[in-house]
Amino acid sequence: SQKIEQNSEALNIQEGKTATLTCNYTNYSPAYLQWYRQDPGRGPVFLLLIRENEKEKRKERLKVTFDTTLKQSLFHITASQPADSATYLCALLLNQAGTALIFGKGTTLSVSS
Amino acid sequence: NAGVMQNPRHLVRRRGQEARLRCSPMKGHSHVYWYRQLPEEGLKFMVYLQKENIIDESGMPKERFSAEFPKEGPSILRIQQVVRGDSAAYFCASSPAVQTVSGNTIYFGEGSWLTVV
């Protein structure tokens, strides 16, 4: 069965540094991978989608890479700020019908000033 | 343009009672998804509905759980005879079309937190 893992439960970094979060998956060849942000007590908010034929995607201070050979996506936040502190989730389509996503457990990022 | 609206935000039920969670999708969205987030667990897909139809319920527990999305009104997730293990955050999401491999974005509500005592 499909499996998706986010290697770190928690990541603590200093303000201004680059945060790098990892998402690995097995037994699957997804058409795309998504990243979401979730704040405590709130719903997930979509950030970025990267397709299997894209190596890299950028949005402001965010950068996502997608290596289908390694079955891995990296999520980078450059020039991190305390406001970036949140849990970040990666997600894949669970089936080709597109009816469901499978989520990782998330990595909680804390940016200290 | 209001987002996905869920209510109640917080619900406390005693074991054996029923819980009803409501979700109004974003305007113009006819596809609704329910996900559950247990403590220390990731979001888990439960069910996908279109107006008046359950399309995929592969993630729904076999007993006590049901979902509907009537022609008029919000989508309802119903949990009968709740047990402590049902305590979780239940998230609804909506999209204008099914996700498919093209990756239509889904939009999540703020969730309904169910506590069973």
Side-chain angles (χ1 to χ4, degrees), chain B residues 36 60-66 78-81 86:
Chain B
R36 177 165 66 172
M60 287 280 268
K62 292 289 185 283
E63 298 176 347
R64 303 187 297 108
F65 285 72
S66 62
R78 183 183 177 204
I79 312 171
Q80 296 178 290
Q81 299 176 307
D86 296 333

Side-chain angles (χ1 to χ4, degrees), chain B residues 31-117:
Chain B
H31 300 251
V32 166
Y33 313 78
W34 285 93
Y35 285 79
R36 177 165 66 172
Q37 191 170 39
L38 292 163
E40 310 304 323
E41 295 284 332
L43 280 159
K44 295 282 196 293
F45 168 76
M46 299 181 76
V47 62
Y48 159 56
L49 311 101
Q50 294 179 27
K51 281 286 187 182
E52 300 185 273
N53 290 302
I54 296 174
I55 307 301
D56 181 355
E57 56 182 347
S58 58
M60 287 280 268
K62 292 289 185 283
E63 298 176 347
R64 303 187 297 108
F65 285 72
S66 62
E68 62 177 14
F69 189 15
K71 188 177 180 181
E72 302 291 337
S75 175
I76 307 284
L77 180 67
R78 183 183 177 204
I79 312 171
Q80 296 178 290
Q81 299 176 307
V82 296
V83 300
R84 288 228 170 97
D86 296 333
S87 295
Y90 292 83
F91 291 96
C92 172
S94 73
S95 65
V98 71
Q99 288 198 280
T100 73
V101 294
S102 62
N104 294 305
T105 302
I106 65 171
Y107 299 85
F108 282 88
E110 298 290 31
S112 290
W113 265 256
L114 171 65
T115 301
V116 180
V117 296

